Amino acid sequence: MSFTISQTRLAPLHPHAHFSPSLPPMSILRRLTPSRLTLHNRRRRRLAAVSAAVRQDTTLWTPAPLSQVEPAAESLFHIRVDLSDAPDLASSYTRAGQYLQLRVPEVEKPSFLAIASPPSLATKGVFEFLVKSVEGSIAELLCGLKKGDVVELTQAMGKGFEIERIEPPESFPTVLIFATGSGISPIRSLIESGFNADKRSDVKLYYGARNLDRMAYQDRFKDWEASGVKIVPVLSQPQDGWTGQSGYVQAAFSRAKQVYNPLSTAAVLCGQKQMAEEVSSILLSDGVASEKILKNF
């Protein structure tokens, strides 16, 4: 889930400027009446606003067609964009966790979306997104489009997940990953990009959703676990018969009372703000270094 008119400024008066006591001509006095000054200032402000808008509108937008729009879970949609004719855009995506701006036809306001597919898929001309459809939002319009419809995207931006901070894997055998809702999108990219999970002894993903119907990528769990990532689903409003973790991700993590060495532990977080703040607080209080807690924003 991409974006001069010069404004004349009056020079400041010198502190020792000399003013003639003689009166200015009446024509100047007429131009300097309060009402005319007010009108003049309003015009200058409007000109400045136009100038600022022109300067800010320098984003490069690349059109590309949708090749897939389908449900990924309740209220979540899997969106695939065909970048076959946009190699420069595809090559701008180099690291899991990066994001871009996307806008739909005839709507100027863009939406910020994390890229869900790994960079390796971009080399094949594909970007994939996990988009939550919220009523009245740009995302809802996007999820309502069809295969072949054209959207516009900026190049990928952001630092992504700085995995080099938690390398080599032997030095950080424990990696705790936390995601909620559509925040699983860049986490999917991270896992499928590979971060040597199979060379680490303890990698867990705490993945929170309201219920199983709202949990995307369940069809990928088996492959993720095969790569070395243990999945811990956490449901805040589980259906009857659920025997796994319930409540919120941060509470489930606290209840687990996992024993780990903070000096050799790293974490990756993406999703709901309160979750990220509370999990970070727990990790920091346990002694995990702040620079080993990775976020993509």
Side-chain angles (χ1 to χ4, degrees), residues 58 111 133 160 204 214 253 264 297:
T58 58
S111 181
S133 179
K204 288 188 177 70
R214 294 205 173 197
F253 176 54
S264 59
F297 284 93

Coordinates of all heavy atoms in Angstrom, one line a residue, residues 58 111 133 160 204 214 253 264 297:
T58 N 5.7 18.8 -5.7 CA 6.8 18.3 -6.5 C 6.9 16.8 -6.5 O 7.9 16.2 -7.0 CB 8.1 18.9 -6.0 OG1 8.3 18.5 -4.6 CG2 8.1 20.4 -6.1
S111 N -3.1 8.1 0.0 CA -3.1 7.3 1.2 C -1.7 6.7 1.4 O -1.1 6.4 0.4 CB -4.1 6.2 1.1 OG -4.1 5.3 2.2
S133 N -10.3 -1.5 4.6 CA -11.3 -0.7 4.1 C -12.1 0.0 5.2 O -12.8 -0.7 6.0 CB -12.3 -1.5 3.2 OG -13.3 -0.7 2.7
G160 N 12.6 1.8 6.4 CA 12.3 0.4 6.5 C 12.8 -0.2 7.8 O 13.2 0.6 8.7
K204 N 9.6 -15.1 17.7 CA 8.1 -15.3 17.8 C 7.4 -14.0 17.2 O 7.9 -12.9 17.4 CB 7.7 -15.4 19.3 CG 8.1 -16.7 20.0 CD 7.5 -16.7 21.4 CE 7.8 -18.0 22.1 NZ 9.2 -18.2 22.4
R214 N -10.8 -11.7 11.0 CA -10.1 -10.5 10.7 C -8.6 -10.6 10.7 O -7.8 -9.7 10.6 CB -10.5 -9.4 11.7 CG -11.9 -9.0 11.6 CD -12.1 -7.6 12.1 NE -13.5 -7.2 11.9 CZ -13.9 -5.9 12.0 NH1 -13.0 -4.9 12.2 NH2 -15.2 -5.6 11.8
F253 N 1.7 -10.8 25.8 CA 3.2 -10.9 26.0 C 3.6 -10.8 27.4 O 4.5 -11.5 27.9 CB 3.9 -9.7 25.2 CG 5.3 -9.6 25.4 CD1 6.2 -10.7 25.1 CD2 5.9 -8.4 25.8 CE1 7.5 -10.6 25.3 CE2 7.3 -8.4 26.0 CZ 8.1 -9.5 25.7
S264 N 20.8 -9.9 24.4 CA 20.8 -10.6 23.1 C 19.4 -10.7 22.5 O 19.2 -11.6 21.7 CB 21.4 -12.0 23.3 OG 20.7 -12.7 24.2
F297 N 8.5 3.4 11.0 CA 8.1 4.8 10.9 C 8.9 5.6 11.9 O 9.2 5.1 13.0 CB 6.6 5.0 11.1 CG 5.8 4.6 9.9 CD1 5.3 3.3 9.8 CD2 5.5 5.4 8.9 CE1 4.5 2.9 8.7 CE2 4.7 5.1 7.8 CZ 4.2 3.8 7.7

